[in-house]
Amino acid sequence: MIKKMLVGAMTFLLYATPALAGAPKNNGLVRLKSDYSVDVTAKRLASSIQAKGLKLFTEIDHAAGAQSVGQSLPPTRLLVFGNPKVGTPLMQCGRTVAIDLPQKALVWEDDAGQVWVEYNNPQYLQARHNLKDCGPVVKKIDSALRTLVTSATQTDLKSER
């Protein structure tokens, strides 16, 4: 268990930190590289979300939407999820954060075929909405998001590819 947690933390630091360093400073996104296809990554993430007792509100397949109007888009899925027990205290700190809730995770494939998962950095949301006295909630959300996305993107069973 501890080994898996360490591997997950190291994976996060390896992939998320360089992506953040190279990204525009004001975009507020955390990006992790996935070892799986968009479909498998989205399924793993949905399973992790539900296993943690969070509500998966919807999953939007943007590529299917593009296809429905005669256009194409590489695999691109948006998962919308949350937990009112955590989101409500965040909104009590600053109501405007509700525009960024519930949480979202974007699973997409770039032009080179690499799959990524991106989500809003909770510290960015804290700064964006001037959430004072909400540090513990933000830390809890940050930790939960990191755990969910890392478990969805890291290789643990080669047979799932």
Side-chain angles (χ1 to χ4, degrees), residues 33-100:
K33 185 178 185 179
S34 178
D35 293 331
Y36 302 101
S37 68
V38 169
D39 287 342
V40 171
T41 301
K43 285 177 187 170
R44 287 172 59 97
L45 184 54
S47 292
S48 292
I49 288 167
Q50 292 168 335
K52 293 290 184 186
L54 302 173
K55 180 164 176 65
L56 180 61
F57 294 107
T58 193
E59 184 176 332
I60 301 166
D61 185 341
H62 287 294
Q67 186 177 17
S68 75
V69 294
Q71 297 185 37
S72 66
L73 187 68
T76 307
R77 299 225 179 145
L78 182 71
L79 283 77
V80 181
F81 59 96
N83 180 344
K85 289 181 182 178
V86 178
T88 300
L90 198 61
M91 288 182 273
Q92 289 170 337
C93 289
R95 196 69 53 85
T96 62
V97 76
I99 193 104
D100 289 312

